[in-house]
Amino acid sequence: MKATPTVLDPAGFELPPDQKAALRWTIYIGYFALTAGIFHGLAQALSYANIDILRFFPGLKGYYQGLTAHGVANALIFTFAFSNGFLPLMTARALGRPLVGWLVHAALATLVIGNVLVIYAVTTNQASVLFTAYAPLQAHWTFYFGLVLVVVSTWLALVNMLVVLRGWRREHPGARIPLLGYISVISYVMWLLASLPIAVSFLGFLLPWSLGLMQKIDPLLTRTLFWFTGHAIVYAWLLPAYVSWYALIPAQAGGRLISDSYTRVVFILFLILSIPTGFHHQYTDPGIPESMKAVHAVLTFGVVFPSFATAFSVVAALEIGGRARGGRGLLGWVAKLPWGDPSVVAQMLAMLAFVFGGVSGLINASFTMNQVIHNTTWIPGHFHLTVGAAVTLTHMGVAFWLIPYLTGRGLWSRGQALTSAWVYTIGVFIFSRGMISAGLEGMPRRTFRVAATYSNPAWDFGGMLTGIGGTLMFFGIAQFFVVIAMTALAGSRAGSPRDIPITETLTAPATTGWERHLDRLGLWVLVTVVLCVIAYGPFLLTYLPPKLVSPGYRLF
Ligand code: HAS
Ligand code: CU
């Protein structure tokens, strides 16, 4: 079968240098946030092993201030800064067109200002409300407004991608959108739709309430709006990683992607199923009809399907690579994969971790089993295997070629890059094993165990593993920073990649037949909106108007 490049212009395309620089700085902001975040992560992990290092943090007023910093920096800023740099670059490269310069800079500026406001609110202990920002805990207005700006910066990045896509479509009437561009755009279109409820919550309720323009708030409504966005947000973190797994990793491993249409169907399923599932975070919340929770539970099992499909596709692509490199027999190809390439290795370890992240997610999603593990450390066990491993390790792996590509400097120390990925992975497995088993024994999440007036010997072993694993994760990421910083400052000018690794597909995109409808973004957006109305309409119709009952509380 004839192999088909996913880009029309495989000869290579250079982004203007100022745009490259802005995208690089966008990603660096994510690294700055992650740097702050991992110190707090270390402290959180050790606290479950009954070791208190928080008291050595200068200026830190309390546990929840540190936990807020950790969640916001790592889960919100790091992830979106990466996506804001990565997805527009992928779109521009795939479509062979430059981005809109002022939009790149505007997205960066908005991200910076948003960050400054959030950092101000959190470091002055005026926003120890955790990343979920549940009312009636009330933060300083700069916290809400700063996060709104971070979201606005993601919208600007998407607008940029859509402008590039529109220009490309005008020049190529009737042509299929190159796959890499298509999956990059669809990832952020999903996020745009997903982010609207939280925009309503922050701009319509939390911000005016924190400014004193509104005296009371509706905790259940704002919480529901948070999770309306908040489940889909996890896929907004995951999909950029999937972009790499589908469209880049096969090329890096010497393989090919099995099917163009299959990949598009997977991303469409994520678009339409990611959002109408938020009640699976609220199974235990009063005030939401059980029947609607059941609808969301079923849809949650639906959104697992495209991940199963992904597992099949990426393993097949890796197998093609392993066999092309001389692998034989049932599993001989695994040994032939490029285990010396830190970029590929970090991402294969990410996939491995995601198997366990996915399995634990299925347990969360099961209505009855959720009762056992909700609000226990099982949950951070789950999400460090997903966002904290599948996503983070993929970002690390991508950085090992992306930062050289963006800086024009070769990767500094392949060996250290490899070690950082392995140390982090071993750490996250030990950490999650600890959190998950202690969670099954009922160890509560979001609790400063060192100071708790209750304990249980059954938590000791899991707590200890959490501390050990968290420490290894800290050193793994710290070493990653050394590699990245040394690459940017001292990498060899000769060793940088001139292009990004783009995969070829075994089957070409069809130019006739039903597959053409896969490119009709407007149609799929409409289907998504209809599903969201079905999933959230009945609740909102019976619940509204808002019940503004609670004043704000500051317990910090
Ligand atoms: Fe989750 C809670 C259900 C995926 C993140 N999740 C959370 C929270 C976070 C989070 C942050 O239903 C906590 C929020 C909070 O603070 O309260 N989650 C799921 C389900 C999935 C899932 C069903 N979660 C994610 C992803 C995340 C993430 C992805 C971040 C990126 N989650 C839940 C539920 C809760 C929850 C409930 C609420 C719990 C509660 O009570 O509070 C699924 O999408 C997972 C599907 C994934 C798979 C895995 C496929 C495997 C692949 C790898 C293939 C590679 C191979 C290896 C085989 C089925 C694609 C090859 C390698 C070689 C080397 C050859
Ligand atoms: Cu979820």
Side-chain angles (χ1 to χ4, degrees):
M1 218 178 299
K2 197 176 151 304
T4 314
T6 56
V7 280
L8 292 182
D9 172 24
F13 151 81
E14 278 284 328
L15 209 59
D18 71 304
Q19 298 192 3
K20 255 187 168 178
L23 295 181
R24 194 170 74 227
W25 277 98
T26 306
I27 292 171
Y28 286 168
I29 290 185
Y31 293 156
F32 291 137
L34 190 61
T35 314
I38 62 164
F39 281 94
H40 288 292
L42 176 67
Q44 308 298 328
L46 288 176
S47 76
Y48 279 108
N50 274 327
I51 299 168
D52 176 15
I53 61 163
L54 277 171
R55 55 208 160 99
F56 304 119
F57 282 52
L60 194 79
K61 302 273 181 346
Y63 171 80
Y64 290 103
Q65 188 185 3
L67 190 51
T68 305
H70 178 64
V72 170
N74 288 8
L76 299 180
I77 309 296
F78 166 61
T79 48
F80 282 112
F82 178 85
S83 304
N84 267 12
F86 182 66
L87 294 179
L89 173 68
M90 292 301 110
T91 310
R93 173 62 186 87
L95 304 182
R97 300 171 70 92
L99 296 161
V100 183
W102 73 267
L103 275 172
V104 178
H105 293 282
L108 173 59
T110 324
L111 184 70
V112 172
I113 301 168
N115 257 290
V116 170
L117 293 177
V118 172
I119 291 170
Y120 164 76
V122 174
T123 53
T124 54
N125 196 31
Q126 299 187 77
S128 300
V129 299
L130 307 184
F131 91 101
T132 38
Y134 287 154
L137 281 180
Q138 191 182 55
H140 191 258
W141 67 268
T142 47
F143 180 74
Y144 303 115
F145 191 58
L147 286 178
V148 166
L149 289 183
V150 171
V151 173
V152 169
S153 83
T154 64
W155 293 347
L156 292 173
L158 172 65
V159 170
N160 207 342
M161 292 155 66
L162 291 175
V163 171
V164 172
L165 178 61
R166 199 182 53 183
W168 183 89
R169 275 189 146 165
R170 269 207 206 116
E171 279 178 11
H172 302 85
R176 297 295 304 276
I177 305 171
L179 184 67
L180 174 61
Y182 176 88
I183 59 181
S184 301
V185 169
I186 220 165
S187 300
Y188 248 15
V189 167
M190 186 286 286
W191 165 242
L192 167 74
L193 297 174
S195 62
L196 298 177
I198 209 165
V200 170
S201 173
F202 275 41
L203 292 173
F205 297 98
L206 292 164
L207 190 57
W209 173 63
S210 66
L211 284 166
L213 303 173
M214 191 187 250
Q215 294 312 313
K216 292 190 173 171
I217 198 148
D218 182 338
L220 179 60
L221 182 63
T222 47
R223 190 179 161 101
T224 302
L225 290 172
F226 179 86
W227 286 118
F228 197 158
T229 295
H231 176 68
I233 209 174
V234 313
Y235 295 113
W237 302 333
L238 181 71
L239 291 185
Y242 273 14
V243 167
S244 174
W245 294 7
Y246 273 101
L248 311 179
I249 271 290
Q252 291 178 276
R256 296 221 170 100
L257 179 60
I258 52 167
S259 160
D260 178 277
S261 300
Y262 182 108
T263 309
R264 289 181 208 245
V265 169
V266 163
F267 276 78
I268 289 173
L269 286 175
F270 274 116
L271 171 66
I272 63 184
L273 291 172
S274 288
I275 311 173
T277 51
F279 286 158
H280 70 222
H281 292 266
Q282 296 179 282
Y283 285 151
T284 54
D285 279 17
I288 299 169
E290 299 290 293
S291 55
M292 289 318 296
K293 291 179 182 171
V295 169
H296 284 227
V298 171
L299 288 168
T300 302
F301 282 98
V303 77
V304 170
F305 178 75
S307 279
F308 280 142
T310 301
F312 177 76
S313 179
V314 294
V315 174
L318 288 176
E319 180 176 347
I320 295 171
R323 292 197 186 282
R325 299 162 67 93
R328 297 282 170 267
L330 193 61
L331 289 174
W333 57 272
V334 176
K336 292 284 181 191
L337 289 168
W339 291 102
D341 178 343
S343 174
V344 179
V345 169
Q347 297 186 67
M348 289 195 296
L349 294 173
M351 295 167 193
L352 218 54
F354 196 45
V355 173
F356 299 93
V359 170
S360 52
L362 280 163
I363 291 167
N364 299 345
S366 311
F367 198 95
T368 39
M369 282 199 266
N370 184 274
Q371 312 295 310
V372 179
I373 46 82
H374 184 65
N375 274 341
T376 72
T377 54
W378 167 289
I379 303 296
H382 158 70
F383 69 68
H384 284 84
L385 288 167
T386 53
V387 63
V391 174
T392 305
L393 278 162
T394 301
H395 289 3
M396 285 166 74
V398 168
F400 292 147
W401 67 259
L402 179 64
I403 299 301
Y405 171 78
L406 289 174
T407 55
R409 288 176 177 275
L411 183 67
W412 180 86
S413 183
R414 222 176 142 90
Q416 295 229 21
L418 264 177
T419 324
S420 70
W422 278 106
V423 170
Y424 187 83
T425 307
I426 295 168
V428 87
F429 274 119
I430 298 176
F431 171 93
S432 297
R433 165 64 173 76
M435 286 239 137
I436 279 181
S437 65
L440 287 176
E441 300 288 351
M443 181 155 81
R445 69 181 285 203
R446 294 181 156 177
T447 300
F448 190 39
R449 193 175 170 213
V450 175
T453 51
Y454 52 89
S455 190
N456 181 343
W459 303 342
D460 289 346
F461 184 62
M464 188 186 71
L465 291 181
T466 302
I468 295 171
T471 309
L472 286 172
M473 290 162 77
F474 175 84
F475 283 114
I477 288 279
Q479 191 176 21
F480 165 75
F481 284 137
V482 172
V483 172
I484 292 302
M486 290 304 287
T487 300
L489 296 172
S492 104
R493 290 268 180 210
S496 72
R498 301 232 6 262
D499 200 0
I500 61 181
I502 302 184
T503 297
E504 297 184 333
T505 42
L506 282 181
T507 49
T511 44
T512 53
W514 64 270
E515 284 144 304
R516 300 186 47 78
H517 297 299
L518 298 176
D519 286 11
R520 292 174 60 190
L521 287 177
L523 171 71
W524 301 115
V525 166
L526 186 70
V527 174
T528 310
V529 172
V530 170
L531 258 183
C532 290
V533 169
I534 294 172
Y536 275 97
F539 167 74
L540 290 173
L541 273 181
T542 49
Y543 185 82
L544 290 176
K547 296 160 188 53
L548 303 176
V549 291
S550 181
Y553 291 92
R554 282 212 176 176
L555 308 174
F556 41 89

